[in-house]
Amino acid sequence: MDYQEIIEEVYHQVQNLNLKGNVATYIPELAEVDPKQFGIALVDLKGNVYGVGDYQVPFSIQSISKVHTLTMVFHKFDTQLWYRVNVEPSGNPFNSIAQLEYEKGIPRNLFINSGALVITDALCSKFERPTEQISDFINEISGKNCVNINQQVKNSEKSHGERNTALAYFLKSYKNFDNPVEEVLDVYFSHCAIEMNCVDLAKSFSFLANDGFSIFANRQILSESHARRVNAIMLTCGFYDEAGEFAYRVGMPGKSGVGGGVAAVMPHKFSIAVWSPELNEKGNSVKAIKALELLTDKLSFSLF
Amino acid sequence: MDYQEIIEEVYHQVQNLNLKGNVATYIPELAEVDPKQFGIALVDLKGNVYGVGDYQVPFSIQSISKVHTLTMVFHKFDTQLWYRVNVEPSGNPFNSIAQLEYEKGIPRNLFINSGALVITDALCSKFERPTEQISDFINEISGKNCVNINQQVKNSEKSHGERNTALAYFLKSYKNFDNPVEEVLDVYFSHCAIEMNCVDLAKSFSFLANDGFSIFANRQILSESHARRVNAIMLTCGFYDEAGEFAYRVGMPGKSGVGGGVAAVMPHKFSIAVWSPELNEKGNSVKAIKALELLTDKLSFSLF
Amino acid sequence: MDYQEIIEEVYHQVQNLNLKGNVATYIPELAEVDPKQFGIALVDLKGNVYGVGDYQVPFSIQSISKVHTLTMVFHKFDTQLWYRVNVEPSGNPFNSIAQLEYEKGIPRNLFINSGALVITDALCSKFERPTEQISDFINEISGKNCVNINQQVKNSEKSHGERNTALAYFLKSYKNFDNPVEEVLDVYFSHCAIEMNCVDLAKSFSFLANDGFSIFANRQILSESHARRVNAIMLTCGFYDEAGEFAYRVGMPGKSGVGGGVAAVMPHKFSIAVWSPELNEKGNSVKAIKALELLTDKLSFSLF
Amino acid sequence: MDYQEIIEEVYHQVQNLNLKGNVATYIPELAEVDPKQFGIALVDLKGNVYGVGDYQVPFSIQSISKVHTLTMVFHKFDTQLWYRVNVEPSGNPFNSIAQLEYEKGIPRNLFINSGALVITDALCSKFERPTEQISDFINEISGKNCVNINQQVKNSEKSHGERNTALAYFLKSYKNFDNPVEEVLDVYFSHCAIEMNCVDLAKSFSFLANDGFSIFANRQILSESHARRVNAIMLTCGFYDEAGEFAYRVGMPGKSGVGGGVAAVMPHKFSIAVWSPELNEKGNSVKAIKALELLTDKLSFSLF
């Protein structure tokens, strides 16, 4: 059985399960998305693309972009950054400020909001035009000019951004934030408002399945050792408060976003993006997670 | 024995105890204050003033001003405000953001920073020129143009204000903050930077010992019932994380500030202000608290 | 207007308000109590008794007995005990174990379960037959053999006592518990299962309104200074997570129990017990609290 | 380069680093262990054993036994058990009771003390002579009668067991504990007091590297899918509050114990046990963790 058959089978099995969830409602743009949409795109290490359902429809990748921004500063900062943010899974919701206080301004990991803000802050220190350079980078590793920043989504996030603003000032009070809050938040909301389809998103994760080398950019994006470490971080921290459950049921390094997308990799095999807007109460797409669980059950290889 | 003799005796007993603490250091203006200063002023209900030590030296009243701002909105808001802030003692440090998250954006009481920000926000909604009107109000109830806002202190607080800014945005994320953050913080830092001496501060608390009537303003500032309630709040919440200890050892409603001041009242008897810059680890003046403890031991009346 | 008229007026006003709550249900004996019962007894400093409603019906005093046990060790331990338990109001539910962990085995105050267990442990160290001696003590200060330990309630509490057992072992792990857990819990469940009526309960609190002297025992129970301190503790910590609210609305030192009773004092005036089984969500009797609020509104004197 | 060369190289590199930590001191038996000891044993899927240093010296495996007990109930309980315990990484210390309260009596994962107690409780419900049967099981999968329960260690743990007793009663208060506390704790302290050397311990983990089949017991211990899931749990939760760091630096599923041991697996390749008593501040062996980090750097395969 080849990948195309498998993802189609998974697609239909999930559709038949009639899973229910709720689309994100904190901004109108996400609330208005058609909740029925569901797509899967798998990209193998030769660049072959397999797709099913709404896999060519662009969607808001939201927090999945945190993997891209992390990658952009990973090779530049290496050790320095580890004094500013940890890599431990969090036992609290993604936007909790309590744990940040308890841990004295050092975010518990890179994917909770406070940690991602530190990464974006570091990125603003290193790049002249950070927002454009993030787009350029993702375009490069997807092998295509595919990135579109939805300005309406960005503005909407901004106008509901009090909590992230609070997190940024809180980090600043602990001297763990170098650039002006407004400036960093603008970059942060921009990269969270990126829209891509499943194919391009899966391609942009390909280097993580390939020991750091992107066949689309045709260059080594991260060293082999760094690529493995990003995967380790995704496995332990990529699914908010549900990372353990995802490792347990699926066992692939991945990252989810509140737009209903999940991007994941099976090292040395393939990268994959699944999208469906309805979320479970932990903020992860119900269909995407089920699809990945069924997929790993069907495949003869596993991380473990 | 009259009040003058008693406070002099208390003053000398405290001086002999050789108590040690640390002055606040988060802003240079407070760090540079001469730590040896110590003054007591007691004002009875007829307006007689008794003083000892540095009781005529102006100092930064800091959080003590939160009693004044609370009073200014107490009669205007009454019931509405209670949906926005509680009156329960806090088991956490005065600037904790964790508890605010746990209680979903409703500050636990009016004197921790988040609660005081709600009060200042309410005040900004009700007054046109809030900073001036706060000064005017305190001048009125002290019977003298005594209020001076130290601009250097204010600017210093502002430039170290990230944590309060975080609290304000966090409140805003819970829709518990109506005005622009910058604007409210400017008023907040202004009233915290007020300088007064012990005499004027004690006078400004006189109405709370007198069922709401200020003999200096010659008018009813709060209703009898409201004045009692402000006293109840001071007793349970006036000393940060040490309110229980203060109630236990002293038993007077009062409020302390990080500048080393304490203002307190013995209902139907007198109001008092004590000031000495060295603080214990809870942020309360070591000498002021000891003085008030010795004072209530010597006096034949007590709250309890 | 005399006390009898006032409490009758209060009684009828409260009855007309049709307040609703829920009786405690964690043990069958409390769940089966007739929820409509409501009684008030006030005892002045001369020993005159004023009563209305079900003021002569015995009820389970539960946590109110913690004031009696505290009194029994207060004069014996004084300073030593303060290393083992604090007097700060708690921002958490009465049986929280989290705060105990956060504060490294030192209960935040004497009335939350962990703190009361430390007191009962101290009592077990000092008395040979602690359970009997608690009964003897309460009988003495009520001036009557009125104490009955309801064995069914005690056994029921015991068979649902896992959480208190956990608290005791947790205290032991911090070396803040001297006697065998089983033994102390037996005494603890015994004193919580004491039944008394409003009159006797009010009499047993009389010494706290009278600078430590009990007219029923005809002796000084606590020094004047200690009596004041017990009152201060009741004011700041006597009503679980609602102590601030009670101080604010009522302003009397008091202690509530999950059986629906409240005992309180107006220093130098009277002691009072109010009982009605329906509780609010904080575990305090809705009618008792309302009655005390109306009472202090009607009386011309106040703590503040 | 073969395994023997690699582990010898790792051994010497680690020895040269002169790493420092502290042996566990909460019981005298662990405090008295010679801190200089250090051994590594690697077992490949054919059963070949490679060893270096003190790899044949028995040591107290402590929490590593939780993997064995989990395995014993994993196939029996499957779905039922998941209502009683989660698989999420914990952001708190291993013996925290606060998180257990916050999550209402459902331990966050199977390896923190509360979760392991639930597993041992489940084991006591299913087995007649649980302590012996745990020994029998470990002997079977190690292919040798190697298990020795050190009675002195067990008794010492018991006499310092107040915190675990508190956790057990706390679980019972949430109805998440079926058997008598004393009985379960006896089994728990027994399996934590097991002594084995690195070789036997590595053999006992072999089935987890081998899709559930133990070549030493010559039978399928867990289904392929269950074996993978145990590995996933070890990866996300196996190193207390340092699981993310271990996944990041080492990337192997494993479990550590306070005796200084670590057992880990590289799926489809080998199992390994490393032991050295000095611990870092998170409670994991400093030398064992460094050795595993160097080992995965040297090997050409990785989980990610």
Side-chain angles (χ1 to χ4, degrees):
Chain A
M1 197 161 63
D2 75 1
Y3 285 139
Q4 185 62 33
E5 281 179 69
I6 290 177
I7 63 172
E8 282 178 16
E9 205 177 288
V10 163
Y11 178 86
H12 293 296
Q13 284 185 318
V14 171
Q15 289 293 49
N16 288 335
L17 286 173
N18 228 342
L19 300 167
K20 291 283 167 216
N22 294 296
V23 300
T25 54
Y26 70 102
I27 57 168
E29 288 74 13
L30 291 179
E32 285 158 14
V33 165
D34 174 7
K36 300 240 172 303
Q37 295 175 97
F38 176 31
I40 306 175
L42 186 153
V43 176
D44 68 20
L45 298 194
K46 289 181 183 144
N48 297 313
V49 173
Y50 309 89
V52 63
D54 303 306
Y55 73 107
Q56 289 168 312
V57 180
F59 64 93
S60 192
I61 68 168
Q62 295 286 330
S63 291
I64 302 174
S65 62
K66 294 174 182 174
V67 177
H68 302 117
T69 52
L70 172 62
T71 300
M72 289 176 77
V73 294
F74 208 93
H75 54 296
K76 287 194 184 260
F77 286 77
D78 208 352
T79 53
Q80 297 106 294
L81 210 48
W82 306 123
Y83 297 102
R84 297 186 53 192
V85 60
N86 285 321
V87 294
E88 291 305 322
S90 163
N92 288 313
F94 64 94
N95 59 359
S96 172
I97 206 163
Q99 194 160 43
L100 190 56
E101 179 169 49
Y102 185 72
E103 308 200 48
K104 300 195 166 55
I106 308 300
R108 206 164 158 76
N109 70 61
L110 299 141
F111 291 146
I112 54 174
N113 288 15
S114 54
L117 284 168
V118 167
I119 296 300
T120 305
D121 177 51
L123 201 141
C124 288
S125 297
K126 281 290 153 184
F127 293 93
E128 293 276 310
R129 299 161 294 110
T131 299
E132 289 158 73
Q133 285 165 289
I134 294 169
S135 293
D136 291 350
F137 175 67
I138 302 179
N139 283 332
E140 184 198 4
I141 59 176
S142 311
K144 185 179 158 191
N145 271 2
C146 58
V147 169
N148 172 43
I149 296 174
N150 185 322
Q151 295 298 330
Q152 244 181 308
V153 169
K154 177 185 162 181
N155 292 334
S156 235
E157 302 265 13
K158 226 177 192 172
S159 69
H160 292 80
E162 294 94 353
R163 198 173 179 115
N164 282 317
T165 311
L167 285 167
Y169 277 105
F170 202 61
L171 287 163
K172 223 174 175 53
S173 78
Y174 284 105
K175 315 231 172 290
N176 194 8
F177 204 90
D178 296 331
N179 297 284
V181 167
E182 289 262 320
E183 193 179 311
V184 175
L185 285 176
D186 189 83
V187 178
Y188 181 80
F189 291 131
S190 295
H191 72 69
C192 285
I194 286 173
E195 291 182 345
M196 298 171 75
N197 66 28
C198 287
V199 176
D200 298 324
L201 183 57
K203 285 180 176 175
S204 79
F205 268 61
S206 175
F207 74 98
L208 291 169
N210 198 27
D211 289 334
F213 186 86
S214 166
I215 57 169
F216 302 103
N218 198 29
R219 68 170 177 96
Q220 194 76 23
I221 303 300
L222 289 181
S223 71
E224 185 181 328
S225 143
H226 281 178
R228 287 178 183 174
R229 291 183 170 190
V230 172
N231 287 343
I233 296 171
M234 289 201 293
L235 192 81
T236 52
C237 313
F239 290 84
Y240 306 123
D241 200 19
E242 204 175 27
E245 184 81 10
F246 189 78
Y248 178 78
R249 299 225 171 267
V250 180
M252 286 169 73
K255 182 75 200 79
S256 69
V258 80
V262 173
V265 296
M266 181 59 76
H268 311 128
K269 302 289 179 183
F270 61 80
S271 56
I272 187 166
V274 190
W275 168 57
S276 181
E278 292 190 78
L279 310 176
N280 64 21
E281 76 283 0
K282 299 287 179 73
N284 297 312
S285 167
V286 287
K287 286 187 183 167
I289 285 191
K290 193 61 182 177
L292 289 166
E293 185 181 346
L294 292 176
L295 181 81
T296 48
D297 279 355
K298 281 180 206 301
L299 292 169
S300 53
F301 39 77
S302 149
L303 205 62
F304 301 111
Chain B
M1 197 160 62
D2 74 1
Y3 285 140
Q4 184 63 32
E5 281 178 70
I6 289 177
I7 63 173
E8 282 179 17
E9 203 177 290
V10 163
Y11 178 86
H12 293 296
Q13 283 185 317
V14 171
Q15 289 294 47
N16 288 335
L17 286 172
N18 227 342
L19 299 167
K20 291 283 167 215
N22 295 294
V23 299
T25 55
Y26 69 103
I27 58 168
E29 288 75 14
L30 291 180
E32 286 158 13
V33 165
D34 174 6
K36 301 239 172 303
Q37 295 173 96
F38 177 30
I40 306 176
L42 186 153
V43 176
D44 69 19
L45 298 194
K46 289 182 185 144
N48 298 313
V49 173
Y50 309 89
V52 63
D54 304 306
Y55 74 106
Q56 289 169 312
V57 179
F59 63 93
S60 192
I61 68 167
Q62 295 285 330
S63 291
I64 302 173
S65 63
K66 295 173 182 174
V67 177
H68 302 119
T69 53
L70 172 62
T71 300
M72 287 176 78
V73 295
F74 208 93
H75 55 298
K76 287 195 184 259
F77 285 76
D78 207 352
T79 53
Q80 297 107 293
L81 210 50
W82 305 124
Y83 296 102
R84 296 185 55 191
V85 60
N86 285 321
V87 293
E88 292 304 323
S90 163
N92 288 313
F94 65 95
N95 60 357
S96 172
I97 207 163
Q99 194 161 42
L100 190 57
E101 179 168 50
Y102 185 72
E103 308 199 49
K104 300 195 165 55
I106 307 299
R108 205 164 158 74
N109 71 59
L110 300 142
F111 292 145
I112 52 175
N113 287 14
S114 55
L117 284 167
V118 167
I119 296 301
T120 305
D121 177 50
L123 201 141
C124 288
S125 297
K126 281 289 154 185
F127 293 92
E128 293 277 310
R129 298 162 294 111
T131 299
E132 289 158 72
Q133 286 166 288
I134 293 169
S135 293
D136 291 349
F137 175 67
I138 302 179
N139 283 331
E140 184 198 3
I141 59 177
S142 312
K144 184 178 159 193
N145 270 2
C146 59
V147 169
N148 172 44
I149 296 175
N150 184 322
Q151 295 297 330
Q152 242 182 309
V153 170
K154 176 184 162 181
N155 292 335
S156 234
E157 302 264 13
K158 225 175 194 173
S159 69
H160 293 79
E162 295 93 353
R163 197 170 181 117
N164 283 316
T165 311
L167 285 167
Y169 276 105
F170 202 60
L171 287 163
K172 223 173 174 55
S173 78
Y174 284 106
K175 315 231 173 289
N176 194 9
F177 204 89
D178 297 330
N179 298 285
V181 167
E182 288 261 322
E183 193 180 310
V184 176
L185 284 176
D186 189 83
V187 177
Y188 181 80
F189 290 131
S190 295
H191 72 69
C192 285
I194 286 173
E195 291 182 344
M196 298 170 75
N197 66 28
C198 286
V199 176
D200 297 324
L201 183 58
K203 285 180 176 175
S204 79
F205 268 60
S206 175
F207 73 98
L208 291 168
N210 197 27
D211 289 333
F213 185 86
S214 167
I215 56 168
F216 302 104
N218 197 27
R219 69 171 176 96
Q220 193 75 25
I221 303 300
L222 290 180
S223 71
E224 185 181 328
S225 143
H226 281 179
R228 286 178 184 175
R229 291 185 172 189
V230 171
N231 287 344
I233 295 170
M234 289 200 294
L235 192 80
T236 52
C237 313
F239 290 83
Y240 307 123
D241 201 18
E242 204 175 25
E245 184 80 10
F246 189 79
Y248 177 78
R249 299 225 171 267
V250 180
M252 285 169 74
K255 183 74 199 81
S256 69
V258 80
V262 173
V265 296
M266 182 59 74
H268 310 129
K269 303 288 179 181
F270 61 79
S271 56
I272 187 166
V274 190
W275 168 57
S276 180
E278 292 190 77
L279 309 176
N280 64 20
E281 76 282 2
K282 299 288 179 70
N284 296 313
S285 167
V286 287
K287 287 187 183 168
I289 286 190
K290 194 60 182 175
L292 289 165
E293 187 181 344
L294 293 177
L295 180 80
T296 48
D297 278 355
K298 281 180 205 303
L299 292 169
S300 55
F301 39 78
S302 151
L303 206 61
F304 300 113
Chain C
M1 197 161 64
D2 74 1
Y3 286 138
Q4 184 63 32
E5 280 177 71
I6 289 177
I7 64 173
E8 280 179 17
E9 206 177 287
V10 163
Y11 178 87
H12 292 297
Q13 284 185 317
V14 171
Q15 288 294 47
N16 288 336
L17 286 173
N18 228 343
L19 300 167
K20 291 284 168 216
N22 294 294
V23 300
T25 54
Y26 69 102
I27 58 167
E29 288 75 12
L30 291 180
E32 286 158 13
V33 165
D34 175 6
K36 302 238 173 300
Q37 295 174 96
F38 177 31
I40 305 174
L42 186 154
V43 177
D44 68 19
L45 297 194
K46 290 182 182 143
N48 297 313
V49 173
Y50 308 89
V52 62
D54 304 306
Y55 73 106
Q56 289 169 313
V57 179
F59 63 93
S60 192
I61 68 168
Q62 295 286 331
S63 291
I64 302 173
S65 62
K66 294 173 183 174
V67 178
H68 302 119
T69 52
L70 172 62
T71 301
M72 289 176 77
V73 295
F74 207 93
H75 54 298
K76 287 195 184 262
F77 285 77
D78 207 353
T79 54
Q80 296 107 295
L81 210 49
W82 305 123
Y83 296 103
R84 297 184 53 191
V85 61
N86 285 322
V87 294
E88 291 306 322
S90 163
N92 287 312
F94 65 95
N95 59 359
S96 172
I97 207 164
Q99 195 161 42
L100 190 56
E101 179 168 49
Y102 185 72
E103 307 200 51
K104 301 198 163 57
I106 307 299
R108 206 165 157 74
N109 70 61
L110 300 141
F111 292 146
I112 53 174
N113 288 14
S114 54
L117 284 167
V118 167
I119 296 301
T120 304
D121 178 50
L123 201 142
C124 288
S125 297
K126 281 289 155 185
F127 293 92
E128 293 276 312
R129 300 161 293 110
T131 300
E132 288 159 72
Q133 285 166 287
I134 294 169
S135 293
D136 290 351
F137 175 68
I138 302 179
N139 283 331
E140 184 197 4
I141 58 176
S142 312
K144 184 177 157 192
N145 270 2
C146 59
V147 169
N148 172 42
I149 296 174
N150 184 322
Q151 295 297 329
Q152 244 182 307
V153 169
K154 176 184 162 181
N155 292 334
S156 234
E157 303 265 13
K158 223 176 194 171
S159 68
H160 292 78
E162 295 93 353
R163 197 171 179 115
N164 282 316
T165 311
L167 286 167
Y169 276 105
F170 203 60
L171 288 164
K172 224 175 174 53
S173 78
Y174 284 105
K175 314 233 173 289
N176 194 8
F177 204 90
D178 297 330
N179 298 284
V181 167
E182 289 260 322
E183 194 180 309
V184 174
L185 284 176
D186 189 84
V187 176
Y188 181 80
F189 291 131
S190 294
H191 72 68
C192 285
I194 287 174
E195 290 182 346
M196 298 171 75
N197 65 27
C198 286
V199 176
D200 298 325
L201 183 58
K203 286 180 174 173
S204 79
F205 268 60
S206 175
F207 74 98
L208 291 168
N210 198 27
D211 289 333
F213 185 86
S214 167
I215 56 168
F216 302 103
N218 197 27
R219 69 173 177 94
Q220 193 76 24
I221 302 301
L222 290 181
S223 71
E224 187 180 327
S225 142
H226 281 179
R228 286 177 185 176
R229 291 184 172 192
V230 172
N231 287 343
I233 296 171
M234 289 201 293
L235 192 80
T236 52
C237 313
F239 290 83
Y240 308 123
D241 200 19
E242 204 175 24
E245 184 80 10
F246 189 78
Y248 178 78
R249 299 224 171 268
V250 181
M252 286 169 73
K255 181 76 199 79
S256 70
V258 80
V262 173
V265 296
M266 181 59 75
H268 311 129
K269 301 289 178 180
F270 60 80
S271 57
I272 187 168
V274 191
W275 168 58
S276 180
E278 292 190 77
L279 310 176
N280 64 20
E281 75 283 1
K282 298 288 178 71
N284 297 313
S285 167
V286 287
K287 286 186 184 168
I289 285 190
K290 194 60 181 175
L292 289 165
E293 187 181 345
L294 293 177
L295 181 79
T296 47
D297 278 355
K298 280 180 206 302
L299 292 168
S300 55
F301 38 78
S302 151
L303 206 59
F304 301 111
Chain D
M1 196 160 65
D2 75 1
Y3 285 138
Q4 185 62 32
E5 281 178 71
I6 290 177
I7 63 173
E8 282 179 16
E9 205 177 288
V10 164
Y11 177 86
H12 292 297
Q13 284 185 317
V14 171
Q15 289 294 49
N16 288 335
L17 287 173
N18 228 342
L19 301 167
K20 292 284 167 215
N22 294 295
V23 300
T25 54
Y26 69 101
I27 57 167
E29 287 75 13
L30 292 180
E32 286 158 13
V33 165
D34 173 7
K36 301 237 171 304
Q37 295 174 97
F38 177 30
I40 306 175
L42 185 154
V43 176
D44 69 19
L45 297 194
K46 289 181 184 143
N48 296 314
V49 173
Y50 309 89
V52 63
D54 304 305
Y55 72 107
Q56 289 169 313
V57 180
F59 64 93
S60 193
I61 69 168
Q62 295 286 331
S63 292
I64 302 174
S65 63
K66 294 173 182 175
V67 177
H68 301 119
T69 52
L70 172 62
T71 300
M72 289 177 76
V73 296
F74 207 93
H75 55 296
K76 289 198 184 258
F77 285 77
D78 208 353
T79 54
Q80 297 107 293
L81 210 49
W82 305 124
Y83 296 104
R84 298 185 53 191
V85 60
N86 285 322
V87 294
E88 292 305 323
S90 163
N92 288 313
F94 65 95
N95 60 358
S96 171
I97 208 164
Q99 193 160 44
L100 189 56
E101 179 169 50
Y102 184 73
E103 307 200 48
K104 301 196 164 55
I106 307 300
R108 206 163 158 78
N109 71 60
L110 300 141
F111 291 146
I112 53 174
N113 287 15
S114 54
L117 284 168
V118 166
I119 296 301
T120 305
D121 178 50
L123 201 141
C124 288
S125 297
K126 281 291 153 181
F127 293 93
E128 293 276 311
R129 299 161 294 110
T131 300
E132 290 159 72
Q133 285 166 289
I134 293 170
S135 293
D136 290 351
F137 174 68
I138 302 179
N139 282 332
E140 185 197 4
I141 59 177
S142 312
K144 185 177 157 193
N145 271 0
C146 59
V147 169
N148 171 44
I149 296 173
N150 184 322
Q151 295 298 329
Q152 243 181 308
V153 170
K154 176 184 162 182
N155 291 335
S156 234
E157 302 264 13
K158 225 177 194 172
S159 68
H160 293 79
E162 294 93 354
R163 197 171 179 115
N164 282 316
T165 311
L167 285 167
Y169 276 105
F170 202 61
L171 287 163
K172 225 175 174 55
S173 78
Y174 283 106
K175 315 234 172 288
N176 194 8
F177 205 90
D178 296 331
N179 299 284
V181 167
E182 289 261 322
E183 194 180 309
V184 174
L185 284 176
D186 189 84
V187 177
Y188 181 81
F189 291 131
S190 295
H191 73 68
C192 285
I194 286 174
E195 291 183 346
M196 298 171 75
N197 65 28
C198 285
V199 177
D200 298 324
L201 182 58
K203 286 180 174 174
S204 79
F205 268 61
S206 175
F207 74 98
L208 290 168
N210 197 27
D211 289 335
F213 185 86
S214 166
I215 57 169
F216 302 104
N218 198 27
R219 69 172 177 94
Q220 193 77 24
I221 302 302
L222 289 181
S223 72
E224 186 180 327
S225 143
H226 281 178
R228 286 177 184 177
R229 291 184 170 190
V230 172
N231 288 343
I233 295 170
M234 289 201 294
L235 192 80
T236 51
C237 314
F239 290 83
Y240 308 122
D241 200 19
E242 202 175 26
E245 183 80 10
F246 189 79
Y248 177 79
R249 299 224 171 267
V250 181
M252 287 169 72
K255 182 76 200 80
S256 69
V258 80
V262 173
V265 296
M266 181 60 76
H268 311 130
K269 302 289 178 180
F270 61 80
S271 56
I272 188 167
V274 190
W275 168 59
S276 180
E278 292 190 77
L279 310 177
N280 63 21
E281 75 283 3
K282 298 288 178 72
N284 297 312
S285 167
V286 286
K287 286 187 183 167
I289 285 190
K290 194 58 181 176
L292 289 165
E293 187 182 344
L294 293 176
L295 181 80
T296 48
D297 278 355
K298 281 179 204 302
L299 292 169
S300 55
F301 39 78
S302 150
L303 205 61
F304 301 110

